[in-house]
Amino acid sequence: MKIAVCVKRVPDMDARFRISADGTSLDEAGLKFDINEPDAWAVEAGLQLKEKAGQGEVVVLSLGPPAVQETIRKALSMGADRGIHLAADRVPFDGFSIARAIAAELKDGGYDLILFGKMSPDSSNGIVGAIVAELLDYACVTAVSGLEMADGGGTAKRELEGAQEFVEFTLPAVLTVDEGLNTARYPSLKGIMAAKKKPMESKPAQLGEPMVTIKSLEMPPDRPPGKIVGEGAAAVPELVRLLQTEAKVL
Amino acid sequence: MANILAFAEQRSGELRKVALENVTAARALADATGGEVHALLVGAPGIAQKAEQLGKHGADVVLVCEHDALGDYNAEAVAALAADRIKSGGYRVAVFSTSAQGRDLLPRVAAKLGVGVVTDVTEARIEGDAVIVKHPINIGKVIATASIASTPAVIGLRPGNTTLVENPKAAKVEQVQPVGDPSAARVKVKEMKQGASAKLDIGDAPVVIAGGRGLKSAEGFKLAEDLADAFGNAAVGATRAVCDDGWRPHSEQIGQTGRVVSPDLYIAVGISGAIQHLAGMRTSRTIVAINKDKEAPIFKIADYGIVGDVAEVLPALTAAVREARKSH
């Protein structure tokens, strides 16, 4: 089985973010970056499928500036076979542009499965996987939290609001991976050493013209300071009074 | 004049609240330009009965597609139909929800149309040739204002962010046909398991009681469930740590890798308030925190806090809420 896994380099969300002077991008100075966590689950899923089959190839792809090669190396150190870097000055906000470039690269690659994380927390759109599926005319299942493969297809579990959906799909397919499918392995020292020798190809990303652009960024307004009503059960009557008279939610 | 299409999400033949939110938001966009709202309602035969509810919230026309193979969500068939209607109807904006179904559907629709798409939209307006949307990025620590230059623009609203407005119209119902054969989809729903009970979902409930490790065990969540029952219109949510430990299902997980909710009242019990959790609930209208650690970060964003042991405070709060609601 030939599997592509698309990964993104994202900043640590614990950071305090600053808006750049241009007003439309974030200042990346001082930020720490790592692989997007749901993408690491997707890498793990790809590796497990290959290990179970006893054969196949896991190809890791990332789009962005040269620094994304670190993210590809991380996936290689987990056990992926080779990397593809789609070079761009920056990762555009427009998910369609990203998807177009990924689809152009994967189109003639003969992949049985293309895996993505469900979403990345930086752009918070969660659309690239399904657009790639449409552009390649692959079957698509999003937010997969359980997976069983069979000949020519598989069964996936999806978490919906207050329900679980079990779907059957045919290959080739695009899956986006949600929490619960697996726990991503840590790279071993041996894996880290081996990753240095694994092939990584870099080529320009065919992004095309974006249809969505950022006009401005702003910090959200602070919530007005709250108050500690009191301590222990004795504070409950006052809380209830405030919920009734001030917040008017009871 | 710009006509707007709103997608009317349903599950098991019932409209979801986000369907009414989509119609409400579409009505506001259409009113700003003098256009009409058309709602697209897809389901098993009989789903047309739900058209009236869509008219009540402002739909001028309800496009109904009924088919035996469309009772369960059928992504390929619905995306093909939606893209076809949006194209032939010349809509300016197509409004979906950033629900599990919406997030699955709207990128497919945008891809079929070759147009711009943004999810998790908290505000939208039409400005000249562009649709301008607000969209939180970096787990809500930054708000982006983005411009979608394509016509149509496809947007996914943040669930719970639109206050429902009744704006009754005598909606005209038009039957529409599926595109192709819906039975031929490559992805088919084999089974749907509803949650443990008919309780409200955290995305729909006006009140969310969210529990963290401070509830000590899966059994400890009984305290949160009792409080939810006392409210009568509440759902129980959980932190990632709790879901990872298997105390609650991942479908109840609130936060960066879980769900984003915006209820009228969010009561965080035994939750310290990691930034990843705050990402999923900071837009709640009123936030209450109950935690024994008075330094817990959750108190920084809570409107009201009680410092104390949840095992002591929650039963007292449950009793007080029951009493307060009795006097309504």
Side-chain angles (χ1 to χ4, degrees):
Chain A
M1 183 176 279
K2 189 171 179 183
I3 300 167
V5 188
C6 300
V7 301
K8 191 175 186 187
R9 173 181 177 263
V10 297
D12 180 350
M13 290 296 141
D14 283 336
R16 178 180 290 270
F17 293 100
R18 288 187 308 272
I19 297 167
S20 299
D22 66 8
T24 61
S25 63
L26 292 171
D27 180 359
E28 294 194 351
L31 295 181
K32 286 185 198 156
F33 289 83
D34 201 350
I35 187 169
N36 175 39
E37 190 180 15
D39 296 348
W41 302 330
V43 174
E44 179 64 37
L47 296 175
Q48 287 186 14
L49 289 172
K50 181 188 157 185
E51 285 160 5
K52 202 167 177 184
Q55 58 172 351
E57 186 183 28
V58 177
V59 179
V60 177
L61 180 148
S62 191
L63 183 153
V68 305
Q69 292 188 8
E70 284 170 36
T71 311
I72 295 173
R73 287 274 173 227
K74 180 159 187 177
L76 296 178
S77 67
M78 288 169 70
D81 298 292
R82 64 181 170 94
I84 300 172
H85 169 213
L86 297 181
D89 294 341
R90 59 201 296 180
V91 182
F93 177 72
D94 183 16
F96 206 124
S97 287
I98 300 169
R100 192 160 40 204
I102 292 173
E105 171 57 31
L106 299 181
K107 187 168 180 273
D108 299 317
Y111 294 95
D112 302 295
L113 264 184
I114 301 172
L115 305 176
F116 290 80
K118 178 180 76 165
M119 193 170 74
S120 64
D122 52 351
S123 56
S124 297
N125 259 319
I127 54 177
V128 175
I131 296 177
V132 167
E134 282 293 332
L135 296 177
L136 296 180
D137 196 24
Y138 275 32
C140 177
V141 185
T142 60
V144 172
S145 63
L147 181 63
E148 292 289 334
M149 295 303 293
D151 278 349
T155 304
K157 180 172 85 168
R158 305 180 66 227
E159 300 285 342
L160 308 181
E161 299 89 355
Q164 291 178 330
E165 189 178 76
F166 294 82
V167 301
E168 278 183 357
F169 64 90
T170 56
L171 295 178
V174 171
L175 308 180
T176 77
V177 175
D178 201 354
E179 196 134 29
L181 182 63
N182 58 44
T183 304
R185 69 191 70 182
Y186 287 106
S188 63
L189 185 59
K190 192 178 159 197
I192 293 167
M193 298 309 288
K196 291 180 181 171
K197 292 179 187 162
K198 289 181 178 174
M200 188 185 324
E201 196 182 355
S202 186
K203 52 181 90 170
Q206 297 173 36
L207 290 164
E209 280 301 306
M211 288 178 284
V212 181
T213 50
I214 301 260
K215 280 174 69 79
S216 63
L217 297 178
E218 62 191 301
M219 294 301 174
D222 288 333
R223 288 187 77 96
K227 54 184 156 193
I228 300 287
V229 176
E231 292 195 12
V236 165
E238 176 62 1
L239 173 64
V240 169
R241 188 189 71 78
L242 290 166
L243 293 179
Q244 288 180 309
T245 59
E246 202 173 82
K248 297 187 170 38
V249 287
L250 180 58
Chain B
M1 194 189 82
N3 290 348
I4 313 294
L5 187 91
F7 183 70
E9 194 171 308
Q10 59 94 8
R11 189 190 294 166
S12 304
E14 294 299 322
L15 285 184
R16 300 198 67 233
K17 186 179 166 219
V18 292
L20 306 180
E21 292 175 7
N22 293 349
V23 172
T24 298
R27 184 74 259 162
L29 283 171
D31 285 348
T33 63
E36 289 190 344
V37 172
H38 296 188
L40 178 61
L41 176 60
V42 184
I47 196 71
Q49 298 168 27
K50 303 295 174 187
E52 194 183 335
Q53 256 180 289
L54 299 168
K56 193 171 155 190
H57 287 84
D60 297 289
V61 177
V62 181
L63 305 168
V64 179
C65 181
E66 297 178 317
H67 191 283
D68 287 331
L70 292 172
D72 286 324
Y73 173 57
N74 182 331
E76 289 175 28
V78 177
L81 173 66
D84 182 68
R85 297 313 307 183
I86 293 166
K87 200 170 181 178
S88 61
Y91 299 102
R92 182 69 190 84
V93 186
V95 180
F96 293 79
S97 172
T98 312
S99 58
Q101 193 181 107
R103 206 188 275 284
D104 187 79
L105 189 58
L106 67 94
R108 299 174 192 249
V109 173
K112 285 180 185 297
L113 294 166
V115 300
V117 51
V118 179
T119 65
D120 203 22
V121 166
T122 54
E123 284 178 47
R125 65 177 193 277
I126 298 169
E127 199 175 278
D129 292 338
V131 173
I132 308 295
V133 294
K134 288 208 173 194
H135 165 89
I137 61 170
N138 292 41
I139 64 170
K141 286 182 160 187
V142 182
I143 308 295
T145 298
S147 170
I148 310 174
S150 61
T151 297
V154 176
I155 62 172
L157 302 176
R158 171 175 285 204
N161 191 70
T162 305
T163 304
L164 293 185
V165 176
E166 292 200 8
N167 196 342
K169 306 274 172 187
K172 199 166 79 176
V173 174
E174 285 180 21
Q175 294 284 342
V176 297
Q177 296 305 310
V179 175
D181 177 9
S183 312
R186 294 167 295 187
V187 178
K188 288 186 178 133
V189 176
K190 300 309 290 180
E191 190 187 357
M192 168 86 87
K193 282 188 188 166
Q194 289 290 345
S197 68
K199 281 178 190 163
L200 277 170
D201 175 69
I202 50 173
D204 293 338
V207 179
V208 172
I209 318 294
R213 278 240 171 90
L215 284 169
K216 294 197 171 80
S217 66
E219 293 70 38
F221 266 77
K222 173 84 169 44
L223 294 174
E225 284 174 351
D226 287 347
L227 180 56
D229 285 344
F231 273 101
N233 57 351
V236 173
T239 61
R240 177 176 180 173
V242 159
C243 296
D244 282 350
D245 284 351
W247 298 359
R248 305 294 292 188
H250 278 295
S251 58
E252 291 181 5
Q253 184 181 322
I254 294 164
Q256 180 181 326
T257 54
R259 311 258 307 271
V260 175
V261 297
S262 303
D264 295 334
L265 175 61
Y266 189 90
I267 304 184
V269 293
I271 291 176
S272 62
I275 189 74
Q276 288 77 6
H277 181 74
L278 303 187
M281 46 66 79
R282 70 191 325 148
T283 50
S284 302
R285 289 179 187 90
T286 299
I287 298 172
V288 172
I290 301 166
N291 198 296
K292 65 180 177 189
D293 175 10
K294 66 173 194 274
E295 304 297 331
I298 192 79
F299 286 123
K300 290 206 173 66
I301 71 151
D303 300 284
Y304 308 111
I306 291 181
V307 179
D309 186 340
V310 292
E312 179 202 338
V313 177
L314 248 58
L317 181 57
T318 299
V321 169
R322 278 196 204 287
E323 194 57 33
R325 288 185 60 88
K326 217 189 290 173
S327 59
H328 274 199

